[in-house]
Amino acid sequence: MANILVTGCAGFIGSHVCERLLAGGHHVTGIDNFSDFYSRHIKESNMHGFSQSENFVFHEVDILNVPLMNSLASSKPDIVVHLAARAGVRPSIADPKSYADVNITGTQNILEMMRAAGCCKLFFASSSSIYGNQKEVPFKEDAPQDKPISPYAFTKRAAELLNHTYHHLYHFDIINARFFTVYGPRQRPDLAIHKFARMIANDEPIEMYGNGDTARDYTYIDDTVSGVVKGIEYLLKNENVFETINLGNHHPVDLKTLIEKIYLHAGKPPHVKQLPMQQGDVEITYADISRAGALLDYHPATSIDEGLKKFFDWFKAQSHS
């Protein structure tokens, strides 16, 4: 079994990845800085199911803290899964510097720690945001990516390019995985599905930006985590790897339809407040997943209705706990 370092282990995706890896018998070293982007309590709760595992070690570390990052080299990871990041398109417009610091400089610090540790395998969480407003759908990995429309998108693309530099210079094996609107239990409270569920529970109207025609390739958390784990397995078995893949669902859902489905699962009549489109938002995300299918045998299996049911089962249980 492998010794795996997971950054951002207390987050939505990170906590699910840690659970899956530990269930598979791996040893996991997790790091997180409990940033104030959302409540520390939520992140600690995310880790509740595995934090006491004998195969899990946790360090509260900020990836911008170079001395602490360098100290992690002593854990001698076989592979790093780099999920820690400043997330979100709209907040990045308000605070672009912190996004550049964490997502670019922080990634640089990870890569340098790996060099010190003698670790040359990296699974990197990128984003569908890097595609911007592509005219051609579904998005293919080799589509033009030189017109990001938010600081968040730019920082993720910059980190992908930085990773390629380390692949070229130091022969790192790397997969850049572009995530597409991941949802499910433990989803971040600022993301649409969780935010909408909370607003409905509080008898507040859902805020719909634009006319509801924008669409997202919603990908259920279990499917995304399966892609991550398959990517880790691929990297551990192969050398001279530099791949960029989409981890999406290949089934975009427009905002209007999503809101209808959410009200249906919430069991309440629709109450929608329409607002203007927001700066930085793309019109559609739509993943071509043929490369991930061929490379990793990645085949997402969860429909939006099935995924929403699982999310609302979790959300209602949380509300009553």
Side-chain angles (χ1 to χ4, degrees):
M1 294 292 105
N3 183 15
I4 303 173
L5 175 65
V6 179
T7 75
C9 68
F12 164 42
I13 298 173
S15 62
H16 282 278
V17 168
C18 288
E19 274 187 342
R20 186 80 67 90
L21 292 173
L22 289 164
H26 297 289
H27 184 277
V28 177
T29 300
I31 70 169
D32 207 290
N33 73 332
F34 297 112
S35 79
D36 60 4
F37 192 69
Y38 61 98
S39 164
R40 180 185 181 115
H41 172 73
I42 292 173
K43 294 176 185 176
E44 289 177 338
S45 177
N46 288 346
M47 297 172 63
H48 179 72
F50 62 87
S51 60
Q52 301 305 311
S53 167
E54 61 182 15
N55 285 328
F56 180 74
V57 176
F58 176 71
H59 300 279
E60 186 169 343
V61 175
D62 190 320
I63 60 174
L64 293 179
N65 186 321
V66 173
L68 281 180
M69 283 301 304
N70 289 343
S71 72
L72 293 171
S74 62
S75 69
K76 295 292 181 185
D78 298 309
I79 186 169
V80 173
V81 181
H82 182 25
L83 304 171
R86 275 277 186 184
V89 167
R90 293 168 195 162
S92 77
I93 296 171
D95 186 14
K97 184 181 183 304
S98 74
Y99 278 71
D101 288 344
V102 174
N103 296 355
I104 301 174
T105 305
T107 299
Q108 173 89 56
N109 294 341
I110 294 283
L111 292 163
E112 283 298 301
M113 180 276 293
M114 290 173 62
R115 280 219 300 152
C119 173
C120 64
K121 295 183 182 290
L122 174 69
F123 186 97
F124 175 70
S126 189
S127 168
S128 62
S129 298
I130 64 113
Y131 290 110
N133 275 320
Q134 292 283 340
K135 299 301 180 189
E136 185 177 337
V137 293
F139 299 166
K140 296 180 182 292
E141 290 88 349
D142 55 1
Q145 296 137 34
D146 57 352
K147 293 183 173 64
I149 63 172
S150 70
Y152 172 67
F154 158 70
T155 62
K156 282 297 187 179
R157 180 61 181 141
E160 288 186 353
L161 295 170
L162 181 61
N163 290 340
H164 184 269
T165 303
Y166 276 70
H167 167 71
H168 175 76
L169 291 176
Y170 308 116
H171 310 293
F172 278 23
D173 298 315
I174 297 173
I175 291 177
N176 293 322
R178 295 170 180 164
F179 293 170
F180 282 70
T181 316
V182 187
Y183 74 101
R186 297 186 221 144
Q187 188 188 39
R188 288 201 333 258
D190 62 297
L191 292 175
I193 291 172
H194 196 163
K195 180 181 174 183
F196 290 167
R198 190 171 62 251
M199 294 172 88
I200 293 170
N202 293 334
D203 293 319
E204 300 170 6
I206 279 183
E207 296 175 342
M208 182 176 75
Y209 295 98
N211 61 10
D213 287 346
T214 57
R216 297 289 178 269
D217 197 343
Y218 295 99
T219 311
Y220 189 67
I221 182 63
D222 289 358
D223 292 325
T224 298
V225 172
S226 290
V228 174
V229 172
K230 287 173 182 286
I232 292 167
E233 292 168 350
Y234 183 87
L235 284 165
L236 289 172
K237 291 175 184 174
N238 293 279
E239 295 183 351
N240 194 27
V241 176
F242 187 84
E243 295 285 353
T244 300
I245 58 169
N246 292 329
L247 289 185
N249 192 41
H250 193 62
H251 290 288
V253 178
D254 66 73
L255 181 57
K256 191 180 293 183
T257 300
L258 177 75
I259 289 172
E260 290 171 358
K261 290 179 180 294
I262 284 174
Y263 273 108
L264 193 65
H265 284 279
K268 292 193 177 183
H271 184 196
V272 179
K273 179 181 179 182
Q274 189 170 347
L275 297 171
M277 279 285 288
Q278 290 208 316
Q279 197 176 26
D281 275 355
V282 298
E283 294 162 7
I284 186 171
T285 63
Y286 185 178
D288 181 320
I289 56 173
S290 55
R291 184 181 290 182
L295 191 73
L296 306 179
D297 193 29
Y298 169 75
H299 301 288
T302 311
S303 69
I304 187 68
D305 287 301
E306 183 184 355
L308 285 175
K309 182 185 183 304
K310 290 179 178 179
F311 169 80
F312 271 94
D313 286 347
W314 169 82
F315 181 79
K316 289 168 183 174
Q318 291 293 111
S319 301
H320 294 137
S321 63

